[in-house]
Amino acid sequence: MKLSQKHFALFKAECKKNLERMGLHGWKVFYEFKRLNDSFGRCQWKFEGRVATITLANDFPKPFSSLEEQIKETALHECLELLLSPISDLATSRGFCQAEFDREVHAIIRTLEKLL
């Protein structure tokens, strides 16, 4: 199912709303709207520079009962990936530091406590 620029605008607005709610103010976020063969969306980041690109697929694999809800869920999913990016990077780092990992886990917990 082909998506339009209207769908992309909804996606970006949802991402911005979620990023604000999660307190992810220190990130420079770019948005893309292009073909993704294996997913509805994608979040890529460079943790050191706090730069991220959040992508919405322009062609969803099948129609949904509510395309708008699927786009909102995809935006939330990609923003949650960005929220978890510090621990993702630390977990795969060759210089793994347990104290730093624990600090990032608790930062995420505090964010979730505010949201929930």
Side-chain angles (χ1 to χ4, degrees):
M1 172 176 214
K2 287 284 187 194
L3 274 61
S4 68
Q5 286 297 319
K6 178 182 151 194
H7 295 118
F8 185 49
L10 171 63
F11 178 76
K12 289 193 305 188
E14 285 296 310
C15 285
K16 290 175 183 178
K17 179 178 77 175
N18 289 320
L19 294 172
E20 180 68 29
R21 286 178 50 208
M22 293 177 200
L24 296 172
H25 306 285
W27 286 87
K28 177 67 177 169
V29 179
F30 298 93
Y31 299 93
E32 291 184 339
F33 185 46
K34 66 182 187 181
R35 184 166 181 77
L36 298 174
N37 294 324
D38 57 353
S39 61
F40 299 130
R42 178 179 299 143
C43 182
Q44 298 170 297
W45 63 86
K46 184 71 172 169
F47 183 69
E48 294 81 16
R50 302 277 177 158
V51 176
T53 301
I54 301 176
T55 305
L56 176 67
N58 61 6
D59 190 8
F60 275 22
K62 62 179 182 177
F64 291 88
S65 58
S66 174
L67 183 57
E68 183 176 306
E69 284 306 309
Q70 183 61 47
I71 290 170
K72 289 179 179 182
E73 287 176 17
T74 301
L76 177 60
H77 179 95
E78 302 312 323
C79 291
L80 288 170
E81 282 197 39
L82 191 58
L83 177 68
L84 296 173
S85 67
I87 61 171
S88 292
D89 278 16
L90 287 170
T92 59
S93 170
R94 290 176 51 167
F96 180 81
C97 172
Q98 186 67 48
E100 195 174 346
F101 185 83
D102 291 344
R103 184 172 44 253
E104 291 297 337
V105 166
H106 286 281
I108 292 167
I109 290 170
R110 283 190 295 281
T111 297
L112 292 173
E113 287 172 339
K114 290 177 190 173
L115 293 174
L116 302 174

